[in-house]
Amino acid sequence: MQLSSIPKPDGYTFYFIGVTTGQSSSRRVFPLWMEALGRQEVSLVGIDVEIHAAPNRYRQIVTDIKREPLALGALVTTHKIDLLAAAADLFDGLGPYARATQEVSSIAKDEGKLIGRATDPVAGGLSMDAILGQDYFGRTGGELLMLGAGGSAVALTLHLMQKAKAADRPRRIVVVNRSAPRLARLKEMVGRNAANGARDIEFDFIQNNLAPRNDAILAGLSPGSVVVNATGMGKDTPGSPLTDAALFPLNGVVWELNYRGELDFMRQAQAQAPARALTVADGWDYFVHGWSQVISHVLHEEIDDAMFARLSELAASAR
């Protein structure tokens, strides 16, 4: 027997709402993490939902998690924006980042109330900072090209806008997305959250779904620029937002937010890495940071530096 939208839990259950959850490394890693935290009674159950599903689908999932006593909460990928847009009124409270970005990546219960948080500004920010180091944009004069305007792009943009030091902020951020609504939403977020020094960032929002034009946009970047694939292409959908003829910026940083799948974008960057002196990174650390943030929220467990190191070690062993 199942509830109308989520698998009926046999015990305390942590749900994972995504597109192809069965292929995620979390399925192998989660039991190891629960053992390390002393929470072996908690099981992970995936819920696969098609991209941009009907609002009622999201509402039913949130409703069922809210009413099922054994459902502790959920981690949300891919659907972070659409889920909150469809079901915001079902939450009893939203964290400050969820309100700022209008997305939710973590669903938890707190004394009977359903709380949504956006953990990507923290998880993605920690991962980006580890890749770039301090004062990266001040040292290099590089710009940022964000391919995609979904939840991760919104979170990373907000993270950079909130940097206190000008040297940690790019002078220019270019965001390219296939659909206009996502671009408009990100632009609205930028206007709503711009403050203090963040106003010195120049933004370009470009609607485009043609890979050759993305190649041309890429070619206009300055040396040392950072290029991020936040489209989901290479994991949730096939291909890359660029063609194989694209030329990455000299001495640049290329960040593929996916860590599994065909990863065509990352393959393109790796092929040019020696000649263009590129730093190429995948989304593995983002994956670990993201899961640890949501686990802490859903299970009400403090994850200190020592425990995070342990969880990261366990994840690497099962990768």
Side-chain angles (χ1 to χ4, degrees), residues 10-13 30 34-35 37-44 72 299 301:
D10 294 326
Y12 289 117
T13 301
F30 192 85
M34 292 303 99
E35 184 177 357
L37 291 167
R39 298 296 300 272
Q40 294 95 324
E41 78 279 9
V42 180
S43 298
L44 180 69
L72 300 178
L299 301 187
E301 294 277 355

Side-chain angles (χ1 to χ4, degrees), residues 24-269:
S24 172
S25 293
S26 62
R27 305 304 291 267
R28 300 187 299 275
V29 175
F30 192 85
L32 303 178
W33 284 341
M34 292 303 99
E35 184 177 357
L37 291 167
R39 298 296 300 272
Q40 294 95 324
E41 78 279 9
V42 180
S43 298
L44 180 69
V45 174
I47 303 173
D48 289 352
V49 182
E50 65 275 17
I51 297 173
H52 302 314
N56 282 343
R57 174 82 165 117
Y58 296 118
R59 290 186 63 82
Q60 193 62 59
I61 290 171
V62 174
T63 297
D64 289 344
I65 289 174
K66 186 173 185 177
R67 75 184 185 190
E68 171 54 59
L70 295 176
L72 300 178
L75 178 142
V76 185
T77 65
T78 305
H79 309 285
K80 291 172 282 195
I81 294 172
D82 290 336
L83 185 144
L84 186 59
D89 61 301
L90 300 177
F91 288 89
D92 299 299
L94 295 174
Y97 281 132
R99 293 192 298 271
T101 62
Q102 289 298 292
E103 66 179 68
V104 64
S105 51
S106 179
I107 301 172
K109 295 177 179 178
D110 189 356
E111 296 182 349
K113 295 182 178 181
L114 197 70
I115 308 298
R117 289 184 182 174
T119 57
D120 277 5
V122 175
L126 288 168
S127 303
M128 176 176 270
D129 291 349
I131 294 168
L132 300 181
Q134 292 187 354
D135 304 329
Y136 177 84
F137 295 104
R139 287 185 282 108
T140 65
E143 303 162 292
L144 173 68
L145 172 59
M146 189 78 71
L147 296 166
S152 295
V154 172
L156 291 172
T157 300
L158 181 62
H159 170 73
L160 290 171
M161 289 174 62
Q162 293 182 336
K163 285 291 190 181
K165 294 171 59 180
D168 288 324
R169 300 191 299 267
R171 61 180 177 81
R172 179 170 174 253
I173 296 178
V174 182
V175 183
V176 182
N177 197 64
R178 292 181 293 182
S179 66
R182 285 288 166 90
L183 279 173
R185 179 183 171 280
L186 195 152
K187 186 175 182 180
E188 188 274 334
M189 187 280 291
V190 167
R192 183 162 31 86
N193 291 283
N196 302 323
R199 294 187 182 276
D200 61 9
I201 302 175
E202 174 189 346
F203 282 91
D204 288 335
F205 301 96
I206 302 172
Q207 183 184 358
N208 173 57
N209 62 357
L210 300 175
R213 188 181 178 201
N214 287 339
D215 293 356
I217 295 167
L218 182 73
L221 298 177
S222 60
S225 289
V226 179
V227 184
V228 180
N229 178 27
T231 65
M233 294 184 72
K235 179 176 78 73
D236 294 331
T237 59
S240 166
L242 303 172
T243 76
D244 284 343
L247 198 61
F248 289 94
L250 278 170
N251 304 309
V253 174
V254 182
W255 191 14
E256 165 63 85
L257 294 192
N258 300 315
Y259 75 90
R260 62 180 174 89
E262 296 300 319
L263 304 181
D264 290 336
F265 174 86
M266 189 168 179
R267 172 185 56 77
Q268 291 167 332

